[in-house]
């Protein structure tokens, strides 16, 4: 950890971010637009590099609407073969850099049939269906306790701020439960019926490990899903990553506007 922090602090001249943002599939434009320092993950000691199309793989530092922000332009995924510990390492780094509020974004499939592709969904809770947990193994008490409470991962105050911003921008923001599967295969129709029965509104392959670690570290967490496609069996259409990236690109302007307004109002 010390090597990682020393490298970043030297590179950024001790930039101290207060807010972290993880930008999901096709949502990286915010980082291109506002960038003071960018460091490819491959250069940062202790970081792994992401290999997914539509994910750039760099840490971007910027002042946005007067807030000091660090963005992950592209995240690491469990399905890439990394351990839970590896994919959540950047969250612990953000914590050590001073981040106390984390905004997690992702692309997700629609489980709740009243939602439509292109909708944005505020995550109110999650179901960890990945079969693993990022807090497994030795616990570093300087981050958090062994058995952390997870009864309110997604901060109610931040959800309210997102809702207000969504109303002002006329976005018809959805609320829902995000279920994370390990991937990389998309789900079967039967698995989506199961997800719905279990209370999920959307399904994806990320975010949950990061939000568990952020909550454990005492960060306030906001999660927003860009609903890119009907999940398996919800429509007759076959699923493709190209569709996910295309829909995410189509909504990137309203998504960026939402994030900017949230940043303005987040305490
Ligand atoms: N399933 C899982 N992950 C996803 C999906 C989906 O339908 N869409 C975008 N990410």
């Amino acid at each position: 950890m010390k090597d990682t922090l020393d490298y970043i602090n030297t590179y950024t001249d001790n930039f101290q971010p207060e807010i972290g943002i993880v930008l999901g599939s096709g949502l990286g434009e915010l980082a291109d637009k506002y960038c003071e320092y960018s460091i490819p993950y491959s250069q940062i000691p202790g970081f792994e590099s992401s290999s997914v199309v539509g994910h750039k793989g760099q840490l971007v530092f910027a002042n946005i609407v007067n807030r000091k922000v660090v963005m992950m332009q592209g995240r690491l995924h469990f399905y890439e073969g990394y351990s839970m510990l590896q994919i959540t390492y950047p969250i612990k780094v953000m914590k050590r850099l001073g981040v106390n509020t984390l905004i997690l974004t992702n692309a997700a499939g629609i489980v709740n049939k009243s939602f439509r592709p292109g909708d944005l969904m505020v995550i109110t809770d999650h179901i960890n269906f990945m079969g693993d947990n990022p807090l497994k193994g030795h616990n570093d008490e300087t981050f958090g306790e062994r058995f952390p409470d997870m009864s309110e991962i997604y901060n109610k105050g931040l959800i309210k701020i997102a809702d207000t911003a969504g109303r002002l921008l006329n976005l018809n923001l959805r609320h829902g439960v995000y279920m994370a599967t390990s991937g990389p295969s998309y789900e079967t129709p039967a698995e989506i019926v199961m997800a719905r029965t279990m209370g999920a509104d959307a399904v994806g392959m990320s975010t949950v490990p990061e939000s568990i670690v952020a909550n454990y570290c005492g960060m306030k967490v906001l999660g927003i899903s860009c609903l890119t496609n009907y999940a398996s069996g919800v429509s007759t259409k076959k699923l493709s990553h190209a569709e996910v990236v295309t829909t995410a690109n189509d909504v990137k302007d309203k998504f960026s506007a939402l994030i900017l307004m949230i940043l303005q109002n987040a305490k």
Side-chain angles (χ1 to χ4, degrees):
M1 179 61 76
K2 188 176 178 307
D3 285 355
T4 309
L5 296 173
D6 286 349
Y7 185 87
I8 293 172
N9 284 329
T10 304
Y11 201 104
T12 65
D13 207 9
N14 291 312
F15 189 102
Q16 287 192 322
E18 31 166 352
I19 298 179
I21 310 177
V22 179
L23 299 163
S25 290
L27 305 175
E29 206 171 60
L30 212 63
D32 288 331
K33 199 162 160 193
Y34 300 89
C35 174
E36 275 165 56
Y37 305 97
S38 65
I39 324 176
Y41 299 151
S42 56
Q43 284 182 21
I44 306 174
F47 267 54
E48 305 293 337
S49 311
S50 178
S51 61
V52 187
V53 178
H55 288 256
K56 225 173 197 171
Q58 55 183 11
L59 212 52
V60 174
F61 294 79
N63 264 292
I64 309 182
V65 293
N66 264 330
R67 309 308 296 266
K68 294 181 96 179
V69 176
V70 56
M71 287 171 276
M72 287 187 73
Q73 194 175 20
R75 57 154 57 79
L76 304 170
H77 299 86
F78 193 47
Y79 61 72
E80 291 177 83
Y82 298 121
S83 69
M84 288 264 165
L85 214 55
Q86 285 171 314
I87 61 180
T88 55
Y89 181 69
I91 306 301
K92 291 181 187 156
V93 170
M94 285 187 186
K95 173 73 183 178
R96 292 287 193 244
L97 289 173
V99 168
N100 50 36
T101 297
L102 183 66
I103 302 173
L104 297 166
T105 70
N106 61 48
I110 295 170
V111 174
N112 181 329
K113 291 176 183 172
S114 67
F115 297 170
R116 297 288 169 262
D119 285 351
L120 297 176
M121 184 190 90
V122 175
I123 301 175
T124 53
D125 202 353
H126 76 221
I127 298 171
N128 178 8
F129 208 70
M130 296 179 113
D132 204 345
N133 191 296
L135 303 180
K136 210 172 70 180
H138 169 74
N139 184 50
D140 181 345
E141 292 280 339
T142 65
F143 280 113
E145 57 186 305
R146 171 78 292 186
F147 301 107
D149 174 68
M150 293 282 149
S151 57
E152 194 196 320
I153 296 184
Y154 301 93
N155 184 267
K156 288 207 169 81
L158 289 173
I159 291 176
K160 221 170 170 178
I161 287 166
D163 280 342
T164 304
R167 261 196 309 279
L168 289 170
L169 294 166
N170 254 323
L171 291 184
N172 188 23
L173 278 191
R174 310 295 194 162
H175 274 203
V177 173
Y178 175 92
M179 178 188 274
T181 64
S182 72
S185 52
Y186 287 117
E187 303 71 32
T188 63
E191 285 164 351
I192 295 303
V193 172
M194 174 198 71
R196 191 178 301 118
T197 307
M198 292 171 91
D201 297 290
V203 63
M205 306 174 191
S206 68
T207 303
V208 160
E210 295 136 329
S211 58
I212 290 173
V213 168
N215 184 57
Y216 151 80
C217 288
M219 292 177 178
K220 289 199 279 187
V221 180
L222 177 69
I224 302 174
S225 292
C226 169
L227 304 177
T228 51
N229 58 283
Y230 289 113
S232 179
V234 177
S235 84
T236 51
K237 217 164 142 195
K238 289 205 169 171
L239 272 62
S240 74
H241 184 58
E243 183 192 1
V244 170
V245 173
T246 302
T247 313
N249 271 324
D250 288 346
V251 303
K252 63 176 189 254
D253 289 343
K254 71 175 183 183
F255 173 75
S256 296
L258 177 65
I259 297 290
L260 289 181
M261 200 171 277
I262 291 168
L263 286 178
Q264 251 158 5
N265 295 302
K267 297 286 165 333

